[in-house]
Amino acid sequence: MSKIENFLTAEEEREIVEAIRRSERKTSGEIRVHIENTSKKDIFNRAIDVFHLLKMDNTKLRNGVLIYVAIDDRQFVIYGDEGINKLVPENFWNDTKNSIQKHFKNKAFKLGLISGIEKAGNELEKYFPWDYTDTNELSDDISKGNN
C-alpha cells in the first residue's frame, strides 16, 4: 500500500470532506485538499500546478483555496487564488499553515487538515459570503496523485 492510502483512513477522509462542505455552506469560496507521495519539484510550484490541474483557477470569483500535501517530502502548501489573496491579511496563510503544522507535528493529520479548512472557510466567509445564487463549482472530494 502506498503512503497515500496510509495517510488518512477512509473515515478520516469522510470527516475532511464534511469539513469542506460545512465551510463551503457559509461562502461562495471553494476549498480542495490534494495529497500525493512527493512533489518531485519545488513544493510551491507543484501546488500551483495541481491548482491549475484541478481547474481551481476557473471559479467565478477566483476564490479557491488548495491545501496541497506531499507526504514523503513532509511538506504542505496552502495556495489561494488571486481573488482571495487580494483581500486577506498578509500573514493569513502563515497563520493557517501554523495551525495545520501544529497538528501535523503530532501526527494528527486529519485534525490539521480540518483546522486549515475551517480557518480558510472562516476567512472566505468574511470576504465571499454565501448567497442563495451560489453553486458548488468544484468537487469537495480529496484528490490524490500517484507520484
Side-chain angles (χ1 to χ4, degrees):
M1 222 189 272
S2 77
K3 290 186 179 179
I4 292 174
E5 281 88 23
N6 292 327
F7 186 66
L8 298 167
T9 67
E11 178 59 29
E12 288 172 327
E13 286 190 23
R14 283 190 289 279
E15 290 177 49
I16 290 166
V17 169
E18 184 52 36
I20 291 170
R21 290 180 179 145
R22 269 193 320 270
S23 291
E24 288 185 357
R25 282 186 204 119
K26 302 181 287 185
T27 178
S28 64
E30 297 289 335
I31 302 168
R32 298 280 323 254
V33 173
H34 181 84
I35 301 168
E36 53 191 25
N37 287 326
T38 181
S39 68
K40 291 189 179 176
K41 63 192 293 189
D42 174 78
I43 189 95
F44 187 77
N45 289 332
R46 178 63 182 152
I48 293 170
D49 290 348
V50 169
F51 191 88
H52 295 296
L53 287 170
L54 296 175
K55 304 210 181 304
M56 293 187 70
D57 53 344
N58 291 341
T59 61
K60 182 178 173 184
L61 297 174
R62 302 293 303 265
N63 57 356
V65 175
L66 173 66
I67 300 173
Y68 169 83
V69 181
I71 299 167
D72 288 347
D73 303 334
R74 305 185 106 191
Q75 293 183 320
F76 66 94
V77 171
I78 302 157
Y79 184 80
D81 207 348
E82 64 184 37
I84 186 69
N85 281 339
K86 286 185 206 174
L87 301 174
V88 296
E90 189 174 314
N91 67 346
F92 173 74
W93 298 122
N94 289 335
D95 291 345
T96 304
K97 185 174 184 175
N98 291 340
S99 178
I100 294 171
Q101 198 166 36
K102 178 180 75 172
H103 292 289
F104 276 20
K105 282 183 179 180
N106 294 319
K107 299 193 184 314
F109 303 115
K110 175 195 82 169
L111 292 175
L113 290 169
I114 289 174
S115 170
I117 290 162
E118 289 172 348
K119 260 183 126 11
N122 289 338
E123 203 66 20
L124 284 166
E125 181 183 9
K126 289 180 196 174
Y127 300 103
F128 301 97
W130 183 86
D131 180 275
Y132 74 94
T133 62
D134 289 336
T135 59
N136 192 4
E137 297 178 80
L138 299 172
S139 170
D140 297 331
D141 292 337
I142 297 170
S143 60
K144 298 175 184 174
N146 292 319
N147 288 342

